[in-house]
Amino acid sequence: MSHSFHNKKIATKFIHAGAEPDPSTGAIMTPIFQTSTYVQSAPGVHKGYEYARSQNPTRAALESALAIIENGKHALAFSSGVAATDAVIKLLSPGDEVIAASDMYGGTYRLFTKVFERFGIKFIYVDTTDAQNVANAITDKTKLIWLETPTNPLMNITDIEAVAAISKKAGTLLCVDNTFASPYLQNPLDLGADIVMHSSTKYLGGHSDVIQGALIVNDDALRDQLYFIQKSCGAVPGPFDCFLVLRGIKTLHVRMKQHCENGIAIAHYLRQHPKVQRVYWCGFEDHHNYAIAKKQMRGFGGMLSFTLKDESMEAATKVLSSTKIFSLAESLGGVESLINHPASMTHASIPKEERIKNGLTDGLIRLSIGIEDADDLIEDLKQAIG
Ligand SMILES: *Cc1c(COP(=O)(O)O)cnc(C)c1O
């Protein structure tokens, strides 16, 4: 892997990470190596590539870029974010325990409870916004701590450094889902995490045209274990999808700057709106863990959620179906703005009592703020809220 851009500033790193001119032609963009196998000159004599589930040059360039932008040593790309999560849990064995955040992406919760619990892995959900809760849940069976910060959709913040210290002391692994922040705003490995997970589908790809996931680590042995799982279980992304994410990363810093700027404008607009009850955004100074957000993030991103004073489903539904620029859809992190109803869409797989207990009410509306003009976005919300 090339690390020549490791110590450059973010904008330079994001554009050049992993991009070596193609050695056979000089092509500045990494070619899409659409092949399943590679010709060997004699049995076992090859150029480092044997079979495309194990190795692909387009994927190798992307993995090199992913490592560099997360300040890590190694990266592995997967066919989706949940496939990356799946690979991490496959490091474990029956009887092992995982401490996970009580407020996290619905698909992660579904994978843990509906798939891996059947294999004898135990998941303990705690409010990780207070690191002490994590320390209290540790047992001699704890093998992994799973964090998401900021969380989806309530924008809760967990102190990565504090949980990393607890994890180190207990001898467990700490994995952080860094999808919402993206490497532009937060680098969990620098704060002591062992594994960073991304749904590259979101900000890394950035254009709502690809499903992909990633894991980034520093430890060589951990990389080898995860690579073994990647090639044995086979959830690898195709070369064209790798090309798309590699291309997305080149503009990540420019897009994130605009997502953050628009996020600030819309968070403040919604907060003063007479019909809005509460805005969930980690950039408000009175946010529960604002000081931690400020410490571990370089900005507050483009995600926020809000509730209306009228808490009925009908009132939320009216807003959700009236926006003209914000499209009603799952997913996030693309250049275009999306509006979402977590209770019936992204988080429908979480049982209602669990959802409500964690503050995810039926009236909650989530926004993925794109990089359109902020005034137009505000105008759109204004007419939709009425
Ligand atoms: C979307 C998402 C995932 C899952 O990723 P896919 O690419 O959809 O499989 C995991 N975590 C978070 C925070 C997400 O937003």
mmCIF file of all heavy atoms in Angstrom, residues 80-83 85 105 108 148 152 177 179-180 197 199-202 211-213 332 366, ligand 1:
data_model
loop_
_atom_site.group_PDB
_atom_site.id
_atom_site.type_symbol
_atom_site.label_atom_id
_atom_site.label_comp_id
_atom_site.label_asym_id
_atom_site.label_seq_id
_atom_site.Cartn_x
_atom_site.Cartn_y
_atom_site.Cartn_z
ATOM 1 N N SER A 80 -21.180 -3.850 1.228
ATOM 2 C CA SER A 80 -22.115 -2.900 1.847
ATOM 3 C C SER A 80 -21.605 -2.562 3.238
ATOM 4 O O SER A 80 -20.692 -3.245 3.755
ATOM 5 C CB SER A 80 -23.524 -3.503 1.956
ATOM 6 O OG SER A 80 -23.533 -4.577 2.871
ATOM 7 N N GLY A 81 -22.214 -1.548 3.845
ATOM 8 C CA GLY A 81 -21.848 -1.217 5.226
ATOM 9 C C GLY A 81 -22.166 -2.366 6.164
ATOM 10 O O GLY A 81 -21.366 -2.716 7.029
ATOM 11 N N VAL A 82 -23.350 -2.989 5.985
ATOM 12 C CA VAL A 82 -23.690 -4.091 6.896
ATOM 13 C C VAL A 82 -22.773 -5.306 6.677
ATOM 14 O O VAL A 82 -22.499 -6.043 7.621
ATOM 15 C CB VAL A 82 -25.186 -4.510 6.839
ATOM 16 C CG1 VAL A 82 -26.085 -3.428 7.404
ATOM 17 C CG2 VAL A 82 -25.605 -4.918 5.473
ATOM 18 N N ALA A 83 -22.259 -5.485 5.463
ATOM 19 C CA ALA A 83 -21.296 -6.572 5.227
ATOM 20 C C ALA A 83 -20.002 -6.305 6.002
ATOM 21 O O ALA A 83 -19.363 -7.235 6.510
ATOM 22 C CB ALA A 83 -21.010 -6.732 3.742
ATOM 23 N N THR A 85 -19.866 -4.595 8.859
ATOM 24 C CA THR A 85 -20.231 -4.870 10.257
ATOM 25 C C THR A 85 -20.245 -6.374 10.512
ATOM 26 O O THR A 85 -19.712 -6.861 11.518
ATOM 27 C CB THR A 85 -21.626 -4.271 10.559
ATOM 28 O OG1 THR A 85 -21.584 -2.870 10.253
ATOM 29 C CG2 THR A 85 -22.025 -4.466 12.005
ATOM 30 N N TYR A 105 -27.922 2.771 14.106
ATOM 31 C CA TYR A 105 -28.547 2.445 12.830
ATOM 32 C C TYR A 105 -29.379 1.159 12.944
ATOM 33 O O TYR A 105 -28.899 0.145 13.464
ATOM 34 C CB TYR A 105 -27.452 2.300 11.771
ATOM 35 C CG TYR A 105 -27.953 1.865 10.425
ATOM 36 C CD1 TYR A 105 -28.757 2.708 9.658
ATOM 37 C CD2 TYR A 105 -27.642 0.615 9.917
ATOM 38 C CE1 TYR A 105 -29.222 2.304 8.423
ATOM 39 C CE2 TYR A 105 -28.103 0.200 8.682
ATOM 40 C CZ TYR A 105 -28.895 1.054 7.937
ATOM 41 O OH TYR A 105 -29.360 0.656 6.719
ATOM 42 N N THR A 108 -27.960 -2.214 11.797
ATOM 43 C CA THR A 108 -26.933 -2.793 12.669
ATOM 44 C C THR A 108 -27.618 -3.554 13.792
ATOM 45 O O THR A 108 -27.257 -4.697 14.106
ATOM 46 C CB THR A 108 -26.028 -1.676 13.247
ATOM 47 O OG1 THR A 108 -25.502 -0.909 12.163
ATOM 48 C CG2 THR A 108 -24.887 -2.246 14.067
ATOM 49 N N GLU A 148 -21.453 4.210 17.775
ATOM 50 C CA GLU A 148 -21.811 5.040 16.636
ATOM 51 C C GLU A 148 -21.845 6.455 17.196
ATOM 52 O O GLU A 148 -22.513 6.693 18.196
ATOM 53 C CB GLU A 148 -23.204 4.610 16.158
ATOM 54 C CG GLU A 148 -23.506 4.918 14.720
ATOM 55 C CD GLU A 148 -24.914 4.451 14.334
ATOM 56 O OE1 GLU A 148 -25.188 3.243 14.371
ATOM 57 O OE2 GLU A 148 -25.722 5.328 14.013
ATOM 58 N N ASN A 152 -27.458 7.777 14.736
ATOM 59 C CA ASN A 152 -28.504 7.837 13.733
ATOM 60 C C ASN A 152 -29.800 7.400 14.409
ATOM 61 O O ASN A 152 -29.886 6.247 14.820
ATOM 62 C CB ASN A 152 -28.094 6.850 12.622
ATOM 63 C CG ASN A 152 -29.069 6.779 11.486
ATOM 64 O OD1 ASN A 152 -30.094 7.436 11.482
ATOM 65 N ND2 ASN A 152 -28.754 5.950 10.513
ATOM 66 N N ASP A 177 -18.529 3.112 14.239
ATOM 67 C CA ASP A 177 -19.210 3.388 12.970
ATOM 68 C C ASP A 177 -19.091 4.889 12.727
ATOM 69 O O ASP A 177 -19.727 5.695 13.405
ATOM 70 C CB ASP A 177 -20.676 2.941 13.073
ATOM 71 C CG ASP A 177 -21.456 3.167 11.774
ATOM 72 O OD1 ASP A 177 -21.034 4.005 10.957
ATOM 73 O OD2 ASP A 177 -22.501 2.517 11.599
ATOM 74 N N THR A 179 -19.765 6.569 9.940
ATOM 75 C CA THR A 179 -20.505 6.944 8.732
ATOM 76 C C THR A 179 -21.003 8.387 8.761
ATOM 77 O O THR A 179 -20.864 9.119 7.779
ATOM 78 C CB THR A 179 -21.707 5.987 8.550
ATOM 79 O OG1 THR A 179 -21.216 4.653 8.440
ATOM 80 C CG2 THR A 179 -22.513 6.337 7.313
ATOM 81 N N PHE A 180 -21.613 8.805 9.877
ATOM 82 C CA PHE A 180 -22.227 10.139 9.936
ATOM 83 C C PHE A 180 -21.194 11.260 9.886
ATOM 84 O O PHE A 180 -21.419 12.281 9.260
ATOM 85 C CB PHE A 180 -23.069 10.276 11.216
ATOM 86 C CG PHE A 180 -24.524 9.968 11.009
ATOM 87 C CD1 PHE A 180 -24.915 8.956 10.152
ATOM 88 C CD2 PHE A 180 -25.508 10.694 11.669
ATOM 89 C CE1 PHE A 180 -26.255 8.669 9.951
ATOM 90 C CE2 PHE A 180 -26.857 10.419 11.478
ATOM 91 C CZ PHE A 180 -27.233 9.408 10.618
ATOM 92 N N MET A 197 -15.510 1.662 11.057
ATOM 93 C CA MET A 197 -16.410 1.087 10.060
ATOM 94 C C MET A 197 -17.104 2.237 9.328
ATOM 95 O O MET A 197 -17.424 3.257 9.927
ATOM 96 C CB MET A 197 -17.440 0.195 10.766
ATOM 97 C CG MET A 197 -18.493 -0.385 9.861
ATOM 98 S SD MET A 197 -19.986 0.634 9.965
ATOM 99 C CE MET A 197 -20.834 0.120 8.494
ATOM 100 N N SER A 199 -20.247 2.988 6.258
ATOM 101 C CA SER A 199 -21.113 2.711 5.127
ATOM 102 C C SER A 199 -20.646 3.695 4.059
ATOM 103 O O SER A 199 -20.990 4.878 4.093
ATOM 104 C CB SER A 199 -22.582 2.956 5.468
ATOM 105 O OG SER A 199 -23.333 2.948 4.259
ATOM 106 N N SER A 200 -19.831 3.217 3.113
ATOM 107 C CA SER A 200 -19.294 4.087 2.052
ATOM 108 C C SER A 200 -20.391 4.557 1.115
ATOM 109 O O SER A 200 -20.185 5.470 0.306
ATOM 110 C CB SER A 200 -18.214 3.345 1.256
ATOM 111 O OG SER A 200 -17.369 2.609 2.105
ATOM 112 N N THR A 201 -21.550 3.894 1.231
ATOM 113 C CA THR A 201 -22.766 4.278 0.503
ATOM 114 C C THR A 201 -23.101 5.755 0.728
ATOM 115 O O THR A 201 -23.684 6.395 -0.137
ATOM 116 C CB THR A 201 -23.947 3.439 1.067
ATOM 117 O OG1 THR A 201 -23.577 2.063 1.071
ATOM 118 C CG2 THR A 201 -25.222 3.655 0.287
ATOM 119 N N LYS A 202 -22.721 6.279 1.883
ATOM 120 C CA LYS A 202 -23.160 7.603 2.310
ATOM 121 C C LYS A 202 -22.170 8.685 1.865
ATOM 122 O O LYS A 202 -22.033 8.920 0.682
ATOM 123 C CB LYS A 202 -23.408 7.591 3.818
ATOM 124 C CG LYS A 202 -24.161 6.334 4.325
ATOM 125 C CD LYS A 202 -25.579 6.244 3.818
ATOM 126 C CE LYS A 202 -26.240 4.883 4.050
ATOM 127 N NZ LYS A 202 -26.190 4.360 5.410
ATOM 128 N N ILE A 211 -23.707 1.088 -3.259
ATOM 129 C CA ILE A 211 -23.793 0.496 -1.916
ATOM 130 C C ILE A 211 -22.427 -0.105 -1.619
ATOM 131 O O ILE A 211 -21.898 -0.899 -2.420
ATOM 132 C CB ILE A 211 -24.870 -0.628 -1.879
ATOM 133 C CG1 ILE A 211 -26.276 -0.075 -2.103
ATOM 134 C CG2 ILE A 211 -24.782 -1.426 -0.566
ATOM 135 C CD1 ILE A 211 -26.911 0.602 -0.918
ATOM 136 N N GLN A 212 -21.828 0.293 -0.509
ATOM 137 C CA GLN A 212 -20.503 -0.238 -0.192
ATOM 138 C C GLN A 212 -20.145 0.027 1.269
ATOM 139 O O GLN A 212 -20.696 0.927 1.894
ATOM 140 C CB GLN A 212 -19.441 0.394 -1.095
ATOM 141 C CG GLN A 212 -18.191 -0.472 -1.191
ATOM 142 C CD GLN A 212 -17.191 0.042 -2.219
ATOM 143 O OE1 GLN A 212 -16.103 0.444 -1.871
ATOM 144 N NE2 GLN A 212 -17.568 0.001 -3.490
ATOM 145 N N GLY A 213 -19.216 -0.771 1.811
ATOM 146 C CA GLY A 213 -18.780 -0.583 3.192
ATOM 147 C C GLY A 213 -17.278 -0.689 3.320
ATOM 148 O O GLY A 213 -16.590 -1.094 2.373
ATOM 149 N N LEU A 332 -28.571 8.619 3.106
ATOM 150 C CA LEU A 332 -28.068 9.937 3.497
ATOM 151 C C LEU A 332 -26.699 10.141 2.873
ATOM 152 O O LEU A 332 -26.132 9.236 2.277
ATOM 153 C CB LEU A 332 -27.952 10.003 5.038
ATOM 154 C CG LEU A 332 -26.995 8.981 5.680
ATOM 155 C CD1 LEU A 332 -25.729 9.636 6.185
ATOM 156 C CD2 LEU A 332 -27.671 8.243 6.808
ATOM 157 N N ARG A 366 -36.100 13.089 10.077
ATOM 158 C CA ARG A 366 -34.646 13.188 9.908
ATOM 159 C C ARG A 366 -34.310 13.831 8.574
ATOM 160 O O ARG A 366 -34.933 13.515 7.559
ATOM 161 C CB ARG A 366 -34.015 11.795 9.979
ATOM 162 C CG ARG A 366 -32.486 11.832 10.024
ATOM 163 C CD ARG A 366 -31.879 10.448 9.903
ATOM 164 N NE ARG A 366 -31.833 10.015 8.515
ATOM 165 C CZ ARG A 366 -31.347 8.834 8.107
ATOM 166 N NH1 ARG A 366 -30.900 7.977 8.995
ATOM 167 N NH2 ARG A 366 -31.331 8.509 6.834
HETATM 168 C C1 LIG B 1 -26.397 3.120 6.068
HETATM 169 C C2 LIG B 1 -25.713 2.869 7.337
HETATM 170 C C3 LIG B 1 -25.175 1.605 7.637
HETATM 171 C C4 LIG B 1 -25.336 0.403 6.710
HETATM 172 O O1 LIG B 1 -24.662 0.572 5.507
HETATM 173 P P1 LIG B 1 -25.168 -0.033 4.096
HETATM 174 O O2 LIG B 1 -24.161 0.495 3.144
HETATM 175 O O3 LIG B 1 -26.554 0.455 3.870
HETATM 176 O O4 LIG B 1 -25.136 -1.521 4.236
HETATM 177 C C5 LIG B 1 -24.501 1.461 8.835
HETATM 178 N N1 LIG B 1 -24.367 2.485 9.708
HETATM 179 C C6 LIG B 1 -24.874 3.712 9.461
HETATM 180 C C7 LIG B 1 -24.687 4.803 10.444
HETATM 181 C C8 LIG B 1 -25.573 3.944 8.272
HETATM 182 O O5 LIG B 1 -26.095 5.153 8.043
#
